[in-house]
Amino acid sequence: DVKVTQSSRYLVKRTGEKVFLECVQDMDHENMFWYRQDPGLGLRLIYFSYDVKMKEKGDIPEGYSVSREKKERFSLILESASTNQTSMYLCASSLKATGYTFGSGTRLTVV
Amino acid sequence: DAKTTQPPSMDCAEGRAANLPCNHSTISGNEYVYWYRQIHSQGPQYIIHGLKNNETNEMASLIITEDRKSSTLILPHATLRDTAVYYCIVRVGVGGSQGNLIFGKGTKLSVKP
């Protein structure tokens, strides 16, 4: 089975900190995605990548950046964390036209 | 982009079939219908997807109407562990990439003993 591993399950950071959320997949998938999930708003796409060093903005990229230096790793960066970025962050990967595999999520709290 | 409409919640008795409907009346000819579910505090889990024909796998069956404007996910023998939010999604193509998924609010399925 494909595994998508997110480095932290829970994270607490201070306002203004630079935050790195790491995601690794082990099945050579081309596509990787970062979503955030908030009550009442569902899952919203932040960024996605369909190849190494390629990235595309999703619906809510403001305040975030991403890095994909290796195929298996897709990092989400909060340049200066703010309280409105407190959320559940979900990483996913996929091959062409197949289902996405999600990680277990990172619950980030910014205080 | 095609949007989907699902009932916000449904109940099902344990051991019975759960039939979850989804309307996607503006779907384009090359867009797939995907179903995911999310159990509390976990990431979404892929269930099944289809284009035109009905599909079946070890988890569920997907019935797509001939005009492709609606579909039904069937869990043939629902168990308590099937209690989750079920998302019906139409896959959006983005340029030359493989597209991304847009999640709506889904249907909260409660399987009761």
Side-chain angles (χ1 to χ4, degrees):
Chain A
D1 283 351
V2 176
K3 284 191 178 172
V4 176
T5 303
Q6 295 184 229
S7 54
S8 303
R9 189 81 172 97
Y10 298 95
L11 211 52
V12 179
K13 295 293 182 181
R14 294 193 179 277
T15 301
E17 277 192 76
K18 190 169 186 176
V19 181
F20 293 86
L21 302 183
E22 305 288 347
C23 176
V24 178
Q25 50 95 2
D26 65 359
M27 284 298 290
D28 204 34
H29 282 177
E30 296 106 344
N31 308 314
M32 296 189 74
F33 307 82
W34 275 106
Y35 289 84
R36 63 178 282 178
Q37 186 172 28
D38 302 287
L41 296 177
L43 279 83
R44 293 178 292 167
L45 182 66
I46 305 171
Y47 267 97
F48 65 101
S49 167
Y50 51 90
D51 203 352
V52 175
K53 297 192 184 295
M54 303 299 289
K55 60 185 179 184
E56 295 278 350
K57 293 180 180 179
D59 299 321
I60 50 163
E62 295 79 19
Y64 303 95
S65 61
V66 290
S67 173
R68 190 152 182 217
E69 295 296 319
K70 294 184 179 181
K71 193 173 187 179
E72 66 270 18
R73 185 180 297 270
F74 193 35
S75 302
L76 180 69
I77 303 157
L78 287 65
E79 297 290 343
S80 177
S82 63
T83 54
N84 63 15
Q85 292 178 310
T86 292
S87 185
M88 169 70 86
Y89 289 88
L90 291 158
C91 175
S93 73
S94 79
L95 282 171
K96 298 179 185 182
T98 63
Y100 289 24
T101 300
F102 281 83
S104 298
T106 295
R107 187 166 292 281
L108 172 68
T109 302
V110 182
V111 298
Chain B
D1 298 342
K3 298 190 189 306
T4 62
T5 304
Q6 298 177 255
S9 64
M10 291 181 63
D11 290 342
C12 178
E14 189 178 18
R16 303 296 293 269
N19 297 287
L20 293 94
C22 180
N23 286 321
H24 32 79
S25 58
T26 59
I27 192 170
S28 299
N30 61 350
E31 289 179 317
Y32 288 76
V33 179
Y34 282 79
W35 282 85
Y36 285 77
R37 71 180 183 184
Q38 188 172 22
I39 296 169
H40 183 63
S41 298
Q42 297 182 20
Q45 176 190 23
Y46 165 79
I47 302 173
I48 199 167
H49 75 284
L51 182 63
K52 295 180 182 178
N53 301 319
N54 298 337
E55 302 287 345
T56 296
N57 64 20
E58 65 278 4
M59 291 183 68
S61 295
L62 173 60
I63 308 298
I64 303 175
T65 58
E66 191 169 344
D67 63 8
R68 301 188 71 237
K69 292 184 177 182
S70 65
S71 60
T72 301
L73 179 75
I74 301 172
L75 308 179
H77 305 285
T79 70
L80 299 179
R81 286 175 293 183
D82 291 322
T83 291
V85 177
Y86 287 77
Y87 296 98
C88 169
I89 302 161
V90 172
R91 179 171 156 266
V92 176
V94 179
S97 75
Q98 303 314 309
N100 59 72
L101 297 178
I102 298 174
F103 285 78
K105 296 188 177 179
T107 296
K108 174 77 166 80
L109 175 68
S110 298
V111 180
K112 300 183 184 299

